Amino acid sequence: MRAKHHFLTFIIFAAFLLNGVYAQSDFQLALLKYQGGGDWYANPTSLTNLARYCNEQLDMELKPNYATVEVGSADLFNYPFVHMTGHGNVVFSSNDAENLRMYLIGGGFLHIDDNYGMDPFIRPAMKSVFPESEFVELPHDHPIYKQFELFTSGLPKIHVHDESPPQALGLFFEGRLICLYTYECDLGDGWEDPEVHNDPPEVRKQALDMGANIVQYAFGAVE
């Protein structure tokens, strides 16, 4: 009953998002906590900096501090944008998979950012959530690349671990992008405090600009 209540609350909440009413002071980005031993808590300063950047550049009023929410919790439905990261193993229980599926179908948005090493685990985990769907690479003319800033060549490459190009992979439900997986990119590293990775200012700006694009798309896309 509690999960159903949260689900219905989120449906009402999502209606406001679809109408572009996202500049509310009680909105908060959330970090997804999962099982399996992977470091879901990686990049502890990234979401705080992204929220601040979106408030400054997009005239949003996100809470400065992010929430932490477990995959299987009914609290998941309180957050329209959930971020997931890590370097290692990811395990979703059947309850986790069902809860995350309901959240995404109901209007939620999940951004997964591989912090290098997560890929072999996140793909089967998301397959348990949407067994009927596959990740597809987004074309460079997708609206997510032309929200706050224009990225004509797709995702920026923030950290180079190998020579593979960055990829933006999406899961869709009834034509709507419900999950964005940024791979070979390290986008979240670029959102962290400058002294963490000592990235050049222009690289960090690229990461934050792309992050602002993702948040704006999730909260009410500019076509």
Side-chain angles (χ1 to χ4, degrees), residues 53-66:
Y53 195 76
C54 289
N55 289 344
E56 293 171 353
Q57 302 298 325
L58 302 179
D59 198 27
M60 298 181 75
E61 297 180 9
L62 298 170
K63 288 184 177 180
N65 297 318
Y66 62 88

Side-chain angles (χ1 to χ4, degrees), residues 76-152:
L76 184 65
F77 295 89
N78 293 330
Y79 306 101
F81 182 97
V82 176
H83 173 76
M84 180 181 185
T85 192
H87 296 84
N89 196 26
V90 178
V91 172
F92 292 159
S93 68
S94 58
N95 177 69
D96 291 341
E98 181 181 3
N99 199 57
L100 184 56
R101 182 183 177 91
M102 288 179 62
Y103 165 78
L104 293 172
I105 288 176
F109 187 90
L110 175 64
H111 172 226
I112 305 169
D113 188 50
D114 179 24
N115 211 346
Y116 203 73
M118 189 183 197
D119 188 66
F121 308 104
I122 191 58
R123 290 179 188 264
M126 289 306 297
K127 194 67 176 175
S128 72
V129 180
F130 286 94
E132 75 277 23
S133 301
E134 300 287 344
F135 279 113
V136 296
E137 187 166 5
L138 303 185
H140 291 175
D141 63 351
H142 189 275
I144 208 163
Y145 291 126
K146 43 190 173 183
Q147 298 292 310
F148 167 63
E149 288 288 351
L150 181 64
F151 286 82
T152 57

Side-chain angles (χ1 to χ4, degrees), residues 147-221:
Q147 298 292 310
F148 167 63
E149 288 288 351
L150 181 64
F151 286 82
T152 57
S153 300
L155 286 178
K157 183 91 169 176
I158 304 305
H159 286 167
V160 179
H161 296 284
D162 52 42
E163 297 305 316
S164 299
Q167 290 181 290
L169 306 170
L171 284 177
F172 290 81
F173 181 79
E174 296 182 350
R176 182 176 70 89
L177 178 63
I178 56 175
C179 174
L180 174 69
Y181 174 31
T182 47
Y183 175 51
E184 291 284 355
C185 177
D186 263 359
L187 200 59
D189 277 6
W191 302 342
E192 286 230 82
D193 288 347
E195 63 273 14
V196 176
H197 300 289
N198 295 311
D199 292 323
E202 62 273 16
V203 171
R204 192 163 178 268
K205 184 179 186 301
Q206 276 193 320
L208 287 165
D209 285 349
M210 189 64 221
N213 274 19
I214 297 169
V215 171
Q216 182 162 307
Y217 182 87
F219 277 72

